[in-house]
Amino acid sequence: MKKVEKHSVYMGRLSHGADLLEELNRLCGESNIQCGRVEAIGAVQRACLGYYDQSRREYKFNTIDAPLEILKLSGNVSIKDGTPMVHVHITLADENGRAFGGHLGPGTIIFACECIIESFEGPAFQRIHDEQTGLPLWGI
Ligand code: ZN
């Protein structure tokens, strides 16, 4: 573990119709947030959820083409290939309250979203290829 200091907290509403993952990456890039924590609630028009197949070492993406509530979006910001990268997981619910979740993929379209991003100061967390998992993990 590395110690980081809380620096700034950003709070805002994300744009209706925008791609949720692209919007989070854009906001972190614009505000130069290189290390931080992301959380949000709201609703999406459709979702693309990833599941990492540990034996195949690849993501499988499932699209849910329906309006869903964002029960919880939670994740972090670190550096990959020299630029800020948002990594978030999301739990969603349908009209009957059934929940779905996974790694947030591109293609998840915002209906409404209230987001809080905490920016930290401290050592850079660089994502590098991890041999054991096949994932780009923090090189600590
Ligand atoms: Zn993930």
Side-chain angles (χ1 to χ4, degrees):
M1 300 291 279
K2 293 181 183 178
K3 185 178 180 200
V4 294
E5 302 286 339
K6 191 180 289 190
H7 179 57
S8 303
V9 182
Y10 298 80
M11 235 172 114
R13 196 181 80 183
L14 306 188
S15 304
H16 177 87
D19 184 288
L20 181 50
L21 184 57
E22 278 179 21
E23 193 76 342
L24 292 170
N25 277 313
R26 186 183 65 75
L27 289 168
C28 289
E30 272 180 13
S31 301
N32 198 29
I33 299 167
Q34 303 196 353
C35 180
R37 174 164 54 194
V38 180
E39 82 166 68
I41 56 172
V44 298
Q45 300 173 47
R46 65 193 300 268
C48 180
L49 303 175
Y51 171 82
Y52 189 68
D53 185 320
Q54 296 176 15
S55 55
R56 288 172 177 249
R57 294 183 164 220
E58 62 184 28
Y59 278 97
K60 174 181 182 259
F61 285 95
N62 296 310
T63 298
I64 303 172
D65 203 2
L68 300 162
E69 293 287 311
I70 303 173
L71 304 183
K72 175 77 175 180
L73 176 152
S74 181
N76 56 61
V77 188
S78 57
I79 301 296
K80 182 167 181 250
D81 301 327
T83 56
M85 179 195 145
V86 173
H87 176 209
V88 292
H89 288 190
I90 188 167
T91 309
L92 302 160
D94 69 10
E95 61 181 326
N96 297 310
R98 287 178 301 198
F100 307 87
H103 173 100
L104 180 66
T108 300
I109 306 303
I110 298 166
F111 181 76
C113 187
E114 297 171 347
C115 181
I116 299 172
I117 302 175
E118 290 176 89
S119 168
F120 302 140
E121 277 193 349
F125 283 66
Q126 304 276 351
R127 289 192 178 277
I128 55 171
H129 178 76
D130 177 69
E131 282 297 327
Q132 280 187 317
T133 62
L135 290 165
L137 300 181
W138 292 336
I140 298 172

